[in-house]
Amino acid sequence: MKSDDAIQSLSALAQPSRLDIFRLLVKAGPDGLAAGTIARRLAIAPNTLSAQLAILAQAGLLDSRREGRSIIYSADFSAMARLLVFLTDDCCGGRPEVCAPLFDLARSCCKPAVKEPIAKEKVR
Amino acid sequence: MKSDDAIQSLSALAQPSRLDIFRLLVKAGPDGLAAGTIARRLAIAPNTLSAQLAILAQAGLLDSRREGRSIIYSADFSAMARLLVFLTDDCCGGRPEVCAPLFDLARSCCKPAVKEPIAKEKVR
DNA sequence: TTCATAGTTCAATATTTCATGAAATATTGA
DNA sequence: TCAATATTTCATGAAATATTGAACTATGAA
């Protein structure tokens, strides 16, 4: 990832409505949500939402697809991961303990992504 | 972490000079770098740099301490981790494979900082 | 003291970003 | 086709942000 791309992603997320939108879509998972649903849930005017979605999509953080009259938006998880990698690039500098919080992050994210559905219940 | 705090951190990082500064300090590790050193390395005017450092510090992303005439800035790794957690909150939504990239992130960061190798690799 | 070095603060200007209303486009069903 | 729904585009004024020169504070050395 280039610095310009990271700036674009960070700028896209650095706005209250857009951060809410993105986090809502992160929670929604790959299925995503229709623009109208997002507008209703977050109480954002349709035209304002459209502009926000365009900014997030342009930054590569969202995918979109049309389904009937609706346009479904979903978070691009791999783009997200690339951004996080960029931010933490060479974070250790020879001191593995420095980035220990990052491992805690990965572990707290969800149950270890092994093939078997280890835990039935939801994380948190 | 509250949304406002995340916005502040993201806004702080969403600017070319500040992103460069932060990443330089991430690489520098806990020892940090003097403001003047950062200014020289990144070719930023001292007063401009000062403003940028203040914004990053206000966002909680940097620590600072005086050493003689110099003021040493260093990245706050735990603040960083909190931001990443916030962004990926509930990212799984019942689909562990969705956040697999985050595990790749943690592993690529540096050598696993775990007491014992949990599960098996092969997360893909 | 006096001076030089290291950073910061302030004020002004230039630029970017934001939310909104009005109008336009796309899809579906009657 | 027409009407309704879903979303986007455009133009605009207001607000936030960035950069710069000049002045200011703090530390250490002569």
Side-chain angles (χ1 to χ4, degrees):
Chain A
M1 170 175 263
K2 287 178 300 193
S3 184
D4 288 352
D5 299 325
I7 292 292
Q8 202 175 11
S9 293
L10 291 165
S11 299
L13 293 172
Q15 202 273 346
S17 297
R18 290 197 297 264
L19 184 57
D20 287 345
I21 293 165
F22 183 75
R23 296 201 339 131
L24 180 61
L25 289 174
V26 163
K27 289 178 181 55
D31 290 349
L33 295 173
T37 304
I38 300 170
R40 253 170 278 118
R41 289 236 199 130
L42 301 180
I44 301 174
N47 56 350
T48 299
L49 176 69
S50 182
Q52 310 290 33
L53 288 170
I55 289 170
L56 286 163
Q58 174 62 34
L61 293 165
L62 301 186
D63 292 323
S64 65
R65 63 184 191 276
R66 179 176 279 276
E67 269 184 23
R69 299 180 221 204
S70 297
I71 295 182
I72 311 290
Y73 286 88
S74 56
D76 183 330
F77 290 85
S78 63
M80 164 73 124
R82 284 195 298 278
L83 175 62
L84 303 193
V85 167
F86 182 82
L87 288 176
T88 56
D89 201 26
D90 294 335
C91 64
C92 299
R95 277 166 256 231
E97 74 278 9
V98 168
C99 57
L102 294 176
F103 288 93
D104 295 338
L105 160 62
R107 276 200 299 278
S108 70
C109 162
C110 59
K111 288 293 166 222
V114 290
K115 316 108 252 233
E116 306 313 315
I118 41 180
K120 247 61 221 293
E121 88 300 329
K122 211 130 248 157
V123 178
R124 170 158 19 218
Chain B
M1 169 174 263
K2 287 177 303 190
S3 185
D4 289 352
D5 299 325
I7 293 292
Q8 201 175 9
S9 293
L10 291 165
S11 299
L13 292 172
Q15 201 272 350
S17 297
R18 290 199 296 266
L19 184 58
D20 288 344
I21 294 165
F22 184 75
R23 296 201 338 130
L24 180 61
L25 290 174
V26 163
K27 289 179 182 52
D31 290 349
L33 294 172
T37 304
I38 300 170
R40 256 171 273 117
R41 290 235 199 129
L42 300 180
I44 301 174
N47 56 352
T48 299
L49 176 68
S50 185
Q52 311 289 33
L53 288 170
I55 289 170
L56 286 164
Q58 175 60 36
L61 293 165
L62 301 187
D63 292 324
S64 66
R65 62 183 192 276
R66 181 176 277 276
E67 271 184 22
R69 299 180 223 202
S70 298
I71 294 181
I72 312 290
Y73 286 88
S74 54
D76 183 330
F77 289 85
S78 63
M80 164 74 125
R82 283 195 296 278
L83 175 61
L84 304 193
V85 167
F86 183 82
L87 288 176
T88 56
D89 201 26
D90 293 335
C91 63
C92 299
R95 279 166 255 232
E97 73 279 8
V98 168
C99 57
L102 295 176
F103 288 93
D104 296 339
L105 159 62
R107 273 202 312 285
S108 68
C109 162
C110 60
K111 285 296 152 229
V114 290
K115 320 74 180 138
E116 73 237 80
I118 33 176
K120 246 50 288 159
E121 67 312 321
K122 183 66 295 276
V123 177
R124 219 322 340 281

